[in-house]
Amino acid sequence: MSRRRFASARTPISAPRRLALRLLPSLALLPALSIIACLPGCQRSPDVDGPDTALQHQIAEYMRRAADHGFSGAIVVEKHDGTILFSGAYGLADDSLNIPFTAETAVDIGSNSKAFVAAAVMALVEDGKLSVDGSIADYLPGVPDDKSDITVHQLLTHSSGLPDEYDESYHVRSREQMEREILSQPLQAAPGERYSYSDMGYALLAAIVERAADTPFRQYVRARLLRPNKLNQLDFGDAPEWEFNGGSVPVARGYNNGIDEDSPADQPHSGWTSIGPGGLLATVAAGARWHNELVQGRILGREATEKLFAKQIINRGTGETTIYYGYGWQIYFDPRRGNVISHSGATASHNWYSQYLVDDSLTIVAGSNRIDGKYEDANGDGYISDDEIISETIYAPQVSSRLAMAIHQNDFTIYPDFMVEEKAD
């Protein structure tokens, strides 16, 4: 089984490149209270508040060109009131069977699953069963002394000091074994010292949710977050609705440089293999509804929603271009898109990007089943950085973010990043 990766800055060549933080040259958000609606003074794209027909045609042409340059997947643009402004699907969901991608095709959302962990934590905070200021030792047994000062807040904001990713030795089956393995790892920094992305931290959060709720984690997320909000076609990999489990919802195969790899149908979905850092599948329409409903404060209460999207910690950058991390979301200001709340994720083949354009009151979600590129591991460390990329085709984060720029600026000529540009020999 290939190594599953869910989102970071540098990624092994043999595994998915981390799309969550690196692909987007994103850029400080607004005060937390203004995320719930576009307040007076917000900029809006001229076409969005007027007749939609022209904008829909522009988006359709934009996506046609993106597909011509290799995009395979689906995308949806949803207005704040839940109206679908645009929905499109492109390419093949299964190469061997020649099955086209449709708007009803699901993909693995990777690290965007962390948003569901964070929302589950805040739901338990609302119910008085958790405190973000509490030590993890209040909720987990056997926490060693060097980790007893780690708080739930620090796990949520990637500032616990825990290492980032699982390797094969951490693909464990039981919650208790996962807890022991992670808690035995040496800290990379003192708790609260700095932001450092950690899949391990979100795995522990899922365990804390399960213990505090006294309900299996996946069952709690379904009962508290998904089913009450009619979020169908969005669930964990073990759900019966997926076609590979005997259901009716198709799930795309995954391709890395043309090789079928990390397809959800081939992955284990029982136990604690990927709970917390990842594990959820969704259609883009279901993902957009989730993101929009969450931002609008229709899933959690106002206080919990504000904390999710508050600027909790600096991820990187300074001044206006500072990127913050809230609870399970990136929050920032991009001059090309305005104020944005986003997160993405990837496996070795599937990739996903969900963003809410605050100033335009639009949610744009894209999902793809392909990662293709040429890389040169110049320093031999098994990871790739920006200057080691020779060429790449278009991913969900690229197509979604560039479309957002086009809509926000009312300029549908922003195409350069859709092209595969070979480095000069």
Side-chain angles (χ1 to χ4, degrees):
M1 182 175 65
S2 62
R3 291 176 65 187
R4 293 178 64 83
R5 299 289 300 267
F6 302 99
S8 181
R10 306 179 72 231
T11 305
I13 293 175
S14 60
R17 290 197 312 103
R18 293 286 184 93
L19 304 176
L21 309 180
R22 193 187 61 75
L23 280 181
L24 302 177
S26 29
L27 303 153
L29 187 70
L30 58 174
L33 287 175
S34 66
I35 65 166
I36 306 300
C38 189
L39 301 179
C42 284
Q43 280 190 323
R44 293 182 180 270
S45 301
D47 283 332
V48 173
D49 282 337
D52 292 332
T53 304
L55 178 58
Q56 289 165 338
H57 284 309
Q58 288 174 308
I59 295 173
E61 174 62 13
Y62 200 79
M63 289 307 304
R64 184 193 65 77
R65 295 195 183 189
D68 287 346
H69 289 288
F71 177 69
S72 172
I75 192 165
V76 66
V77 182
E78 180 175 311
K79 301 173 80 169
H80 68 93
D81 62 0
T83 302
I84 300 299
L85 182 63
F86 180 84
S87 177
Y90 312 87
L92 293 177
D94 188 317
D95 289 0
S96 63
L97 298 178
N98 201 37
I99 298 174
F101 224 106
T102 74
E104 303 300 310
T105 304
V107 300
D108 192 323
I109 74 171
S111 269
N112 199 199
S113 301
K114 292 179 175 68
F116 294 81
V117 180
V121 168
M122 295 312 299
L124 288 167
V125 170
E126 287 186 325
D127 295 340
K129 295 182 178 180
L130 265 182
S131 169
V132 295
D133 298 319
S135 164
I136 63 172
D138 296 337
Y139 308 103
L140 299 174
V143 175
D145 290 344
D146 68 324
K147 299 176 181 69
S148 62
D149 290 337
I150 296 175
T151 65
V152 173
H153 167 84
Q154 289 165 350
L155 292 180
L156 287 164
T157 57
H158 296 295
S159 59
S160 67
L162 287 168
D164 176 11
E165 72 214 40
Y166 291 112
D167 61 23
E168 292 299 330
S169 66
Y170 302 117
H171 280 200
V172 294
R173 288 297 184 185
S174 74
R175 183 191 70 194
E176 292 77 11
Q177 185 181 356
M178 177 274 294
E179 292 169 350
R180 289 194 299 270
E181 292 283 353
I182 291 179
L183 291 173
S184 70
Q185 299 301 304
L187 292 175
Q188 305 298 300
E193 180 180 315
R194 58 182 169 84
Y195 174 95
S196 181
Y197 199 93
S198 176
D199 279 351
M200 290 189 187
Y202 268 75
L204 285 185
L205 279 172
I208 288 172
V209 167
E210 182 164 297
R211 289 180 178 278
D214 196 25
T215 303
F217 174 75
R218 283 174 284 202
Q219 183 178 325
Y220 179 78
V221 170
R222 287 168 178 143
R224 179 62 176 82
L225 301 176
L226 302 183
R227 299 298 172 257
N229 297 290
K230 297 181 172 59
L231 289 164
N232 303 317
Q233 300 183 333
L234 194 169
D235 210 323
F236 295 94
D238 65 340
E241 62 256 42
W242 307 127
E243 200 170 62
F244 61 77
N245 290 333
S248 61
V249 182
V251 180
R253 302 295 299 179
Y255 300 94
N256 187 309
N257 283 313
I259 298 173
D260 190 319
E261 185 173 354
D262 249 8
S263 294
D266 301 334
Q267 299 300 320
H269 296 288
S270 59
W272 283 75
T273 300
S274 61
I275 291 179
L280 282 156
L281 312 178
T283 63
V284 292
R289 177 169 182 176
W290 154 258
H291 197 163
N292 189 27
E293 293 289 291
L294 191 64
V295 168
Q296 303 300 332
R298 293 192 282 261
I299 291 179
L300 297 171
R302 185 177 181 87
E303 183 177 352
T305 302
E306 289 172 359
K307 286 185 177 179
L308 279 180
F309 301 120
K311 296 184 283 189
Q312 300 285 358
I313 192 169
I314 292 176
N315 176 344
R316 67 182 187 274
T318 59
E320 186 184 51
T321 61
T322 302
I323 300 172
Y324 296 89
Y325 202 86
Y327 289 167
W329 294 97
Q330 281 187 304
I331 302 160
Y332 50 92
F333 174 75
D334 180 346
R336 300 162 298 177
R337 288 180 284 165
N339 294 298
V340 182
I341 300 167
S342 72
H343 210 292
S344 64
T347 68
S349 52
H350 284 213
N351 53 98
W352 175 271
Y353 190 60
S354 183
Q355 61 180 323
Y356 182 76
L357 305 182
V358 179
D359 302 335
D360 298 297
S361 298
L362 290 177
T363 303
I364 305 177
V365 177
S368 175
N369 64 333
R370 296 176 194 277
I371 292 180
D372 298 312
K374 298 178 183 178
Y375 314 105
E376 179 184 9
D377 185 16
N379 59 13
D381 65 354
Y383 285 75
I384 55 171
S385 55
D386 285 345
D387 58 0
E388 294 174 320
I389 299 170
I390 298 173
S391 68
E392 295 181 308
T393 54
I394 185 170
Y395 300 104
Q398 290 173 311
V399 70
S400 178
S401 62
R402 270 51 184 186
L403 177 61
M405 294 175 196
I407 293 173
H408 184 72
Q409 299 175 51
N410 193 28
D411 178 2
F412 284 81
T413 64
I414 307 174
Y415 287 117
D417 284 358
F418 289 174
M419 310 300 178
V420 176
E421 296 181 357
E422 298 286 342
K423 286 185 177 179
D425 293 335

